[in-house]
């Protein structure tokens, strides 16, 4: 049975020994980060801070803060109610196998229309706990235990919001997790990066010239599949809440907002309603980011609140990013496993892929392929750089199928042995992630592909390729028997 809401997930984590309650008052300014970071690095549990406070503001918040909910392989699996993420990947494969159109784009385009998804279309309901308290006049963000994460951060940031918008062109909904810097009690920043769904809707409004305000609703604290759907790089015409329904095998319940024309999860803990204004861009940041560096100040739209609805006793969900690995790495790992079947549909030669934590998603992607023709690795590089999401990959390493991409020591050993750098490294120019700080220009820079496959005579490599050193199996057997006796 799908988790109905955040609480059911928290209760499950507690039963599994995957969540620790902290009743000691802890400061939302930096202290929660430091504690969470230590727990993250030690592969520890989710944390429920029952008494967040702010010494600076002299506040003891009435609302508890939960963090690191998805911060391990086990909790990612619990979130999606599977024994291992491979199970979700298999469900994804089954979904894709129901119809077999040609090519990745057709597949992806088809996703929203698949009959198998139709039973998971969000259900609009009349009542829901998120309406237990409706605040249209006397509302303020100051009651929420919003963290200042790192010393040089430009302020406090809501870090795990589900930002909901509707396309002014097609009416299609989008949900994305974009951080929100608190400017005052009723205004925040809206950090949707240039390539993301929310930013596209904002541009569409500008192009159409029909009004200057884009309705935005923000849900904080939902069932874990719904929260996770906000970080998925889904195609533009696939509603994240529909996909969340597929992930949880039960439709998401939505309910109408009070002050804007949008629907939000009825089981959410807290919903912020408001709009982004084309004429109100403000400095946003700096913010200690996924990369382990601060992303610098830049201009983003302001989000003006028009109301807040919440449960009687809401729980605020936060996350903190920084030097990897942290909670976001495990979310990225979930995305990697879920999207591998989709990648394999388009590129059947792909055997496996992995994004190591140190590469912070876009900086390093390792792909193992079944190599069938000369130049095959280059073909795979070009294809991956043309895919949504994967297009940002800064360093792409293509290895043969016998390499375990999850073992970075094995990858480094084999790849470094296999390359003649001048011959095997391919540079490419194109769009880069907005968080990229080393590229020559914001959002535009170079990428590198490394062909670390064995080189073939048909690729001009006519020297003999040596075998890997492997012990004779008979000898291994004899030594197995000796091993116990020798006590080495
Ligand atoms: C913890 C966390 C914070 C994130 N913050 C941002 C952000 O501030 N801005 C942004 O554009 N993307 C951010 N992302 C990535 C987006 O959520 C992700 O790219 C998602 O696919 C966007 O959805 P969209 O494709 O519908 O726009 C964040 C991801 C995580 C896991
Ligand atoms: Mn989207």
């Amino acid at each position: 049975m799908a988790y109905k809401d955040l609480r059911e997930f928290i209760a499950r984590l507690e039963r599994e020994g995957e969540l620790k309650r902290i009743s000691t008052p802890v400061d939302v300014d930096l202290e929660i980060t430091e504690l969470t970071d230590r727990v993250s690095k030690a592969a520890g549990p989710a944390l429920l801070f029952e008494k967040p406070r702010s010494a600076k503001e002299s506040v003891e918040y009435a609302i508890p803060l939960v963090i690191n909910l998805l911060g391990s392989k086990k909790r990612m699996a619990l979130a999606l109610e599977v024994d291992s993420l491979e199970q979700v990947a298999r469900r994804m494969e089954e979904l894709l196998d129901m119809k077999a159109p040609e090519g990745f784009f057709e597949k992806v385009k088809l996703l929203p229309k698949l009959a198998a998804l139709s039973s998971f279309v969000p259900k609009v309901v009349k009542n829901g706990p998120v309406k237990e308290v409706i605040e249209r006049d006397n509302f303020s963000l100051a009651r929420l235990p919003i963290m200042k994460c790192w010393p040089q951060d430009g302020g406090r940031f809501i870090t795990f919001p589900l930002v909901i918008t509707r396309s002014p062109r097609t009416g299609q909904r989008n949900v994305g997790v974009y951080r929100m810097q608190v400017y005052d009690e009723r205004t925040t920043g809206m950090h949707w990066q240039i390539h993301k769904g929310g930013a596209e809707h904002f541009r569409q409004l500008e192009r159409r010239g029909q009004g200057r305000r884009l309705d935005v609703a923000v849900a904080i604290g939902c069932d874990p599949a719904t929260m996770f759907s906000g970080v998925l790089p889904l195609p533009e015409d696939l509603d994240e809440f529909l996909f969340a329904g597929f992930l949880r095998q039960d439709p998401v319940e939505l309910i109408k907002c009070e002050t804007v024309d949008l629907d939000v999860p009825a089981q959410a803990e807290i919903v912020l309603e408001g709009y982004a204004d084309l004429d109100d861009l403000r400095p946003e940041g700096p913010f200690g980011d996924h990369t382990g560096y601060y992303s610098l100040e830049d201009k983003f739209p302001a989000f003006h609140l028009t109301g807040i609805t919440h449960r009687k006793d809401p729980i605020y969900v936060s996350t903190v990013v920084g030097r990897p690995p942290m909670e976001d790495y495990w979310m990225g790992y979930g995305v990697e496993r879920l999207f591998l079947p989709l990648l394999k549909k388009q590129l059947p030669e792909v055997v496996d892929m992995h994004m190591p934590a140190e590469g912070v998603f876009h900086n390093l992607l390792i792909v193992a392929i079944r190599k069938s023709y000369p130049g095959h690795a280059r073909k795979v590089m070009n294809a991956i750089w043309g895919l949504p999401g994967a297009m940002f990959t800064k360093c792409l390493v293509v290895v043969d199928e016998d390499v375990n991409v999850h073992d970075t020591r094995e990858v480094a050993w084999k790849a470094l042995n296999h390359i003649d750098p001048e011959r095997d490294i391919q540079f490419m120019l194109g769009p880069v992630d907005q968080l990229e700080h080393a590229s020559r220009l914001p959002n535009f820079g170079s990428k590198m592909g490394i062909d670390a496959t064995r080189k073939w005579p048909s690729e001009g490599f006519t020297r003999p390729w040596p075998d890997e050193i492997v012990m004779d199996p008979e000898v291994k057997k004899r030594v197995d028997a000796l091993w116990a006796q020798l006590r080495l």
Side-chain angles (χ1 to χ4, degrees), residues 239-308:
D239 175 13
E240 278 82 357
F241 287 153
L242 169 63
F243 198 78
F246 163 72
L247 285 176
R248 62 201 293 276
Q249 300 282 293
D250 198 21
V252 177
E253 283 185 4
L254 298 179
I255 193 160
K256 268 193 158 342
C257 282
E258 301 298 313
T259 62
V260 294
D261 184 22
L262 291 167
D263 297 332
V264 289
Q267 301 290 337
E269 297 291 321
I270 301 163
V271 163
L272 315 177
E273 303 181 2
Y275 61 89
D277 189 333
L278 279 172
D279 301 309
D280 188 3
L281 303 185
R282 299 189 192 184
E284 199 270 1
F287 176 73
D289 225 314
H290 304 280
T291 55
Y293 291 83
Y294 287 96
S295 50
L296 303 177
E297 192 181 289
D298 199 355
K299 287 216 152 156
F300 281 88
F303 171 64
H304 298 266
L305 276 77
T306 52
I308 298 183

Side-chain angles (χ1 to χ4, degrees), residues 342-357:
L342 213 54
L343 184 69
K344 283 181 173 177
K345 284 283 168 202
Q346 165 69 356
L347 304 172
E349 61 270 62
V350 168
V351 175
D352 202 357
M353 67 161 163
H354 184 52
M355 293 177 282

Side-chain angles (χ1 to χ4, degrees), residues 174-175 177-179 191 193 196-197 230-233 240 290 319:
N174 188 68
V175 186
V177 171
Y178 318 122
R179 70 174 188 240
H191 186 258
Q193 294 161 10
K196 307 299 172 72
V231 311
L232 294 176
E240 278 82 357
H290 304 280
T319 184

